[in-house]
Amino acid sequence: MLKKKCVAMLLAGGKGSRLSSLTKNLAKPAVPFGGKYRIIDFALSNCTNSGIETVGVLTQYQPLVLNSYIGIGSAWDLDRRNGGVTVLPPYAESDGVKWYKGTASAIYENLNYLTQYDPEYVLILSGDHIYKMNYENMLDYHINKEADVTISVIEVPWEEASRFGILNTNSDLDVMEFDEKPQRPKNNLASMGIYIFKWSILKEYLEMDARNPYSSHDFGKDVIPLLLDEKKKLIAYPFQGYWKDVGTVKSLWEANMDLLCDKDELNLFDSSWKVYSVNPNQPPQYIAPNACVVESLVNEGCVVEGNVEQSVLFPGVQIGSGSEVKKTVVMPTAKIGSNVYIENAIVPSDIEVPDGTIIRPTKGSEEVILVTQELIESVAKCI
Amino acid sequence: MLGIIDACTNTTALQPLTFYRSIAAIPFAGRYRLIDFTLSNMVNSGISSVAIFPRDRYRALMDHIGSGKEWDLDRKRDGLFIFPPMTSDLHLESPSLFTQFRYHIDYFLRSKQEYVLIANSYTICTVDFDHVLQRHIASNADITEMKQGDKSLNMYIINKSILVDILQNESHDFYTIKELVRYMAQSHRVEKYEHHGYTAEISSLDAYYKTSMEILSPDVWKQLFINERPVFTKVKDEPPTRYAKKAVVKNSMIANGCVIEGHVENSIIFRGVKIGKGTVVKNSIVMQKGVILENSVLENVVLDKDVKIGSNETLLGESGLPRVIAKGTTQGALMKS
């Protein structure tokens, strides 16, 4: 293998329990987003657009969809002779199966993968977030600051700071403390779960962490505090722009709705920073004579005969005549029958909503309804 | 069975769409090129070795087809072959299809397949060539011509050994397969295969426009776009299409990556097109990356790729006789972008 300057390790094994039935059969990074993408497309496309062409993807929870989706990485131009994308699932050794016990343990179990490229720097990423970021700029920053570890941070509203891992920094952005979900936050710089390590430091500290029987083998909880105790140079890299952790049904829905704003901060239409994904190769969308589509994103293969407003339609979705679909995310190949009313909802892939079904939040409530087969059956009984 | 696509045909009847490209590469149905239909029919019928014989202006075609990956034809065994004419011929009258076959006879000699499907690149239909082959074999034919009523589809299945024998031993230069069929009728068994279902031959601008308008009918597009027999094409990584607050879209086919702020009716909109506020597009075709600014009116118009129309412009064609705006044209007030 040729030596690489920087290798990315993308953590994609998370379950995303708060996404409920959406992650029953697939890992959170594989959850559909934005009428076309899966969440992991953003991190993978960022790698390609940042010139990072060696990416290890660490999978564990429900990996089938993710594995076949990533394939050999050609959708992201990561099918490379030297490097490219490699899916790294847990594996068995003579002394047993090495399940990934935490984010740090996942990387530790794959030190061999990194060793073969002998990189100078390792970029640790999470496959759970929606954002566009040039990792090359962060790497330049890391090199210029002569840091051991650089952690990307984003300013969050003070009242929400207690939901995040907060970095307490001095005026030079040197990290002094790491507070995981602090009750009384001292700062509002949240860790984005993006780290650049000097390879030698990463290796040394992961080995140290692996020997510690009391560790939970997590970057935020264990490795970062250990590095701080050892007085290593940790520095925060301030990121500006759209960044969203779509950890819940509501935040996933909100992130989809954000795309419909007039000033869509993510800007999927920017051709200089394309978000790549596996293309489904379906015919163009057909909008019928009596249909009405406004303030929406609609993808190929859709057939719209009803009214669609402030909604996101993934490939191959059908909306029957007389139906109204408002503020709803309809995932691939879901079918909405005729005369259906649906508002504030997420309709998962392949779900069929029968003719005449009404799904809407109770008056005054802002809940987002995750449509399931059970919900459809219970609504049908009410009629 | 080998799949041969005759992409040699040229006609002035499709100008200006064929000014920069061969017929095979004319954009069609929002995201395709004409050749995609024949090529996808071949792949969906289990044909794994396809040879394309282009003649001139094939840069767009080569760029579109690439390694054949989108059609699953980038393979070690069989796959995609492109056989352009020998350069010395550029000074001569166009070489016949048979001359081009003779140049590349090794393709026929080296392959193991026993049958050859020869198809044109501009017929829009969905067909299972494997079914045609079974009929060809069952009827003991030497050559089978596919027809719809009296009309030939210009698609044929011929036994490879017979084709090779004629290529090697017959000095006559056949310009078209039709001529070959007439010749073979004297001494060989010629059969016909009746094809059912929607079929359109894009041999003139009229036919291009008429067919484009026809595929807006669900009866027609449901025959062309079948989940089990997808039409493959080059992918572009465009985001979904965005419909603005004031968008009005009726009876139209819209590809990905568009931003629609105006009114679109009975039209076909290709990938990455922008239609500004207050603009009305009716009975029209807007190809890739077209931009129409605000408050313009387009009716019965075909905009080739990369056409930019300014604000407050009016472009009207006649129904049945569309007005075609050539590739890359900028019309109206100069635009900064």
Side-chain angles (χ1 to χ4, degrees):
Chain A
M1 299 284 173
L2 279 177
K3 187 178 163 64
K4 293 278 179 186
K5 185 179 177 191
C6 182
V7 170
M9 296 295 265
L10 208 173
L11 296 156
K15 181 177 177 197
S17 331
R18 289 171 301 156
L19 283 166
S20 183
S21 65
L22 286 171
T23 50
K24 194 174 161 221
N25 298 316
L26 43 80
K28 181 174 165 189
V31 168
F33 174 78
K36 170 163 192 179
Y37 312 95
R38 293 188 188 268
I39 296 171
I40 198 172
D41 286 332
F42 290 86
L44 285 172
S45 300
N46 284 341
C47 285
T48 301
N49 287 321
S50 305
I52 291 170
E53 53 190 46
T54 310
V55 184
V57 180
L58 299 123
T59 60
Q60 178 157 286
Y61 173 78
Q62 284 288 6
L64 177 64
V65 173
L66 202 52
N67 285 350
S68 58
Y69 185 71
I70 293 171
I72 58 166
S74 36
W76 305 270
D77 220 4
L78 289 170
D79 50 335
R80 302 297 175 104
R81 204 168 276 277
N82 178 43
V85 76
T86 309
V87 176
L88 302 166
Y91 55 92
E93 268 192 353
S94 49
D95 51 349
V97 178
K98 304 199 160 179
W99 293 107
Y100 300 154
K101 294 186 277 284
T103 50
S105 125
I107 309 289
Y108 172 77
E109 299 297 352
N110 289 288
L111 286 176
N112 281 342
Y113 169 78
L114 287 165
T115 305
Q116 62 180 348
Y117 294 109
D118 188 25
E120 288 169 61
Y121 307 99
V122 178
L123 168 67
I124 313 268
L125 300 169
S126 154
D128 290 354
H129 303 137
I130 289 161
Y131 65 109
K132 291 192 205 167
M133 178 175 175
N134 192 333
Y135 303 135
E136 209 177 6
N137 293 346
M138 180 175 168
L139 182 59
D140 288 344
Y141 178 92
H142 174 84
I143 295 168
N144 287 337
K145 298 277 179 181
E146 295 175 341
D148 292 313
V149 184
T150 301
I151 306 173
S152 181
V153 293
I154 187 161
E155 243 179 86
V156 292
W158 278 94
E159 61 272 20
E160 287 179 32
S162 52
R163 296 202 292 118
F164 294 92
I166 295 294
L167 295 183
N168 299 328
T169 57
N170 66 15
S171 55
D172 290 334
L173 289 171
D174 288 314
V175 179
M176 314 311 285
E177 256 181 317
F178 180 81
D179 265 351
E180 179 70 27
K181 298 188 177 135
Q183 285 197 324
R184 287 196 194 81
K186 293 181 218 159
N187 203 349
N188 66 336
L189 294 177
S191 165
M192 297 162 66
I194 302 168
Y195 311 94
I196 292 180
F197 278 82
K198 265 187 195 156
W199 165 223
S200 53
I201 297 281
L202 178 71
K203 193 163 184 265
E204 185 186 340
Y205 282 82
L206 283 180
E207 281 167 352
M208 214 187 280
D209 173 72
R211 286 194 297 268
N212 177 2
Y214 304 106
S215 171
S216 58
H217 310 294
D218 183 88
F219 274 102
K221 287 194 201 96
D222 308 291
V223 179
I224 300 301
L226 182 63
L227 286 154
L228 287 168
D229 287 349
E230 300 274 322
K231 303 279 180 257
K232 291 291 156 191
K233 187 173 168 67
L234 275 68
I235 194 150
Y237 173 73
F239 171 78
Q240 273 161 354
Y242 188 90
W243 179 81
K244 193 131 185 166
D245 180 1
V246 286
T248 62
V249 171
K250 179 137 196 198
S251 64
L252 176 66
W253 178 85
E254 279 168 357
N256 277 284
M257 292 300 128
D258 286 346
L259 298 172
L260 305 177
C261 294
D262 277 340
K263 49 173 192 357
D264 154 32
E265 286 180 77
L266 195 58
N267 191 9
L268 296 173
F269 283 79
D270 178 6
S271 58
S272 67
W273 198 273
K274 276 196 175 185
V275 183
Y276 298 101
S277 66
V278 175
N279 286 272
N281 215 339
Q282 294 206 27
Q285 51 200 271
Y286 174 71
I287 313 294
N290 297 318
C292 175
V293 186
V294 288
E295 289 182 273
S296 295
L297 285 174
V298 181
N299 207 341
E300 57 197 49
C302 289
V303 178
V304 181
E305 297 179 87
N307 292 351
V308 176
E309 201 182 312
Q310 293 185 310
S311 293
V312 176
L313 310 189
F314 282 75
V317 164
Q318 294 180 23
I319 311 282
S321 60
S323 287
E324 289 209 40
V325 176
K326 284 184 184 169
K327 294 190 172 181
T328 291
V329 178
V330 190
M331 290 185 174
T333 60
K335 267 188 202 161
I336 313 268
S338 311
N339 304 312
V340 169
Y341 184 93
I342 187 162
E343 188 178 338
N344 269 45
I346 293 182
V347 183
S349 305
D350 300 324
I351 289 269
E352 286 190 29
V353 180
D355 296 352
T357 308
I358 296 173
I359 296 170
R360 67 197 316 171
T362 46
K363 251 204 172 110
S365 138
E366 284 179 24
E367 67 170 321
V368 173
I369 302 164
L370 178 62
V371 178
T372 56
Q373 207 54 49
E374 296 79 54
L375 177 81
I376 289 169
E377 280 158 25
S378 71
V379 170
K381 272 184 207 144
C382 295
I383 296 173
Chain B
M1 182 160 60
L2 297 173
I4 304 284
I5 300 182
D6 169 10
C8 297
T9 317
N10 219 332
T11 167
T12 52
L14 276 155
Q15 290 290 19
L17 298 181
T18 48
F19 196 76
Y20 295 102
R21 52 173 90 90
S22 54
I23 299 177
I26 292 178
F28 181 75
R31 63 195 301 266
Y32 305 98
R33 306 270 183 163
L34 290 181
I35 196 171
D36 290 343
F37 289 82
T38 299
L39 199 48
S40 301
N41 277 330
M42 286 183 171
V43 171
N44 289 331
S45 305
I47 294 176
S48 57
S49 179
V50 175
I52 300 175
F53 289 81
R55 182 165 292 148
D56 52 14
R57 279 168 282 183
Y58 50 82
R59 185 200 56 79
L61 182 64
M62 302 275 282
D63 177 57
H64 178 69
I65 303 285
S67 64
K69 188 174 170 178
E70 307 296 352
W71 296 266
D72 220 6
L73 287 172
D74 58 333
R75 20 198 79 260
K76 289 193 175 178
R77 294 173 171 218
D78 293 334
L80 180 77
F81 302 84
I82 297 179
F83 297 127
M86 297 292 182
T87 44
S88 59
D89 280 339
L90 288 177
H91 310 289
L92 305 170
E93 285 287 293
S94 313
S96 70
L97 182 63
F98 254 58
T99 306
Q100 270 184 248
F101 282 178
R102 285 192 179 109
Y103 285 141
H104 302 287
I105 196 154
D106 283 356
Y107 173 69
F108 299 98
L109 296 175
R110 282 182 193 159
S111 55
K112 293 195 176 69
Q113 287 84 343
E114 290 175 59
Y115 302 94
V116 182
L117 165 71
I118 306 175
N120 68 73
S121 61
Y122 50 87
T123 296
I124 305 299
C125 63
T126 303
V127 53
D128 182 357
F129 291 125
D130 189 50
H131 190 246
V132 188
L133 176 65
Q134 297 315 320
R135 289 275 300 278
H136 174 79
I137 294 169
S139 65
N140 267 323
D142 295 319
I143 188 165
T144 297
E145 179 176 24
M146 294 177 62
K147 300 194 93 165
Q148 188 162 52
D150 297 337
K151 234 174 148 292
S152 172
L153 294 188
N154 289 315
M155 296 182 187
Y156 310 85
I157 290 178
I158 180 170
N159 294 3
K160 192 177 76 181
S161 56
I162 294 171
L163 179 67
V164 167
D165 180 50
I166 295 173
L167 285 170
Q168 285 179 326
N169 302 318
E170 175 59 57
S171 58
H172 186 73
D173 226 7
F174 299 99
Y175 268 78
T176 62
I177 306 302
K178 219 166 237 160
E179 279 177 45
L180 175 71
V181 173
R182 229 173 287 142
Y183 165 82
M184 283 179 68
Q186 297 163 15
S187 51
H188 292 82
R189 194 178 169 104
V190 179
E191 289 291 332
K192 291 184 175 31
Y193 175 93
E194 178 70 18
H195 171 67
H196 303 280
Y198 182 81
T199 305
E201 194 182 89
I202 311 296
S203 50
S204 67
L205 204 54
D206 277 1
Y208 177 80
Y209 182 70
K210 184 172 157 270
T211 308
S212 295
M213 293 298 118
E214 274 174 6
I215 60 163
L216 287 177
S217 151
D219 292 346
V220 174
W221 63 251
K222 280 180 184 165
Q223 291 186 55
L224 293 178
F225 303 121
I226 304 168
N227 278 344
E228 298 74 39
R229 306 187 80 83
V231 184
F232 300 102
T233 191
K234 185 181 176 184
V235 300
K236 296 270 188 197
D237 289 291
E238 296 279 2
T241 279
R242 187 182 176 129
Y243 294 78
K245 212 171 206 156
K246 295 274 167 65
V248 178
V249 179
K250 308 271 173 207
N251 193 38
S252 294
M253 210 164 245
I254 317 252
N256 270 357
C258 299
V259 179
I260 314 273
E261 298 182 281
H263 184 123
V264 179
E265 209 175 315
N266 303 332
S267 294
I268 293 181
I269 310 295
F270 281 68
R271 290 185 275 201
V273 167
K274 295 192 165 55
I275 295 178
K277 287 182 189 129
T279 284
V280 178
V281 177
K282 266 189 190 170
N283 307 327
S284 294
I285 297 162
V286 183
M287 293 188 195
Q288 295 97 295
K289 301 260 155 79
V291 177
I292 306 160
L293 295 191
E294 299 177 7
N295 302 315
S296 287
V297 176
L298 277 72
E299 218 173 312
N300 303 322
V301 175
V302 178
L303 301 190
D304 203 332
K305 276 178 76 175
D306 295 315
V307 170
K308 293 182 167 54
I309 308 287
S311 301
N312 304 305
E313 295 289 314
T314 302
L315 294 178
L316 302 175
E318 284 165 44
S319 68
L321 187 69
R323 180 161 168 197
V324 184
I325 310 293
K327 185 178 167 187
T329 312
T330 299
Q331 188 140 345
L334 274 178
M335 303 195 310
K336 282 174 188 162
S337 57

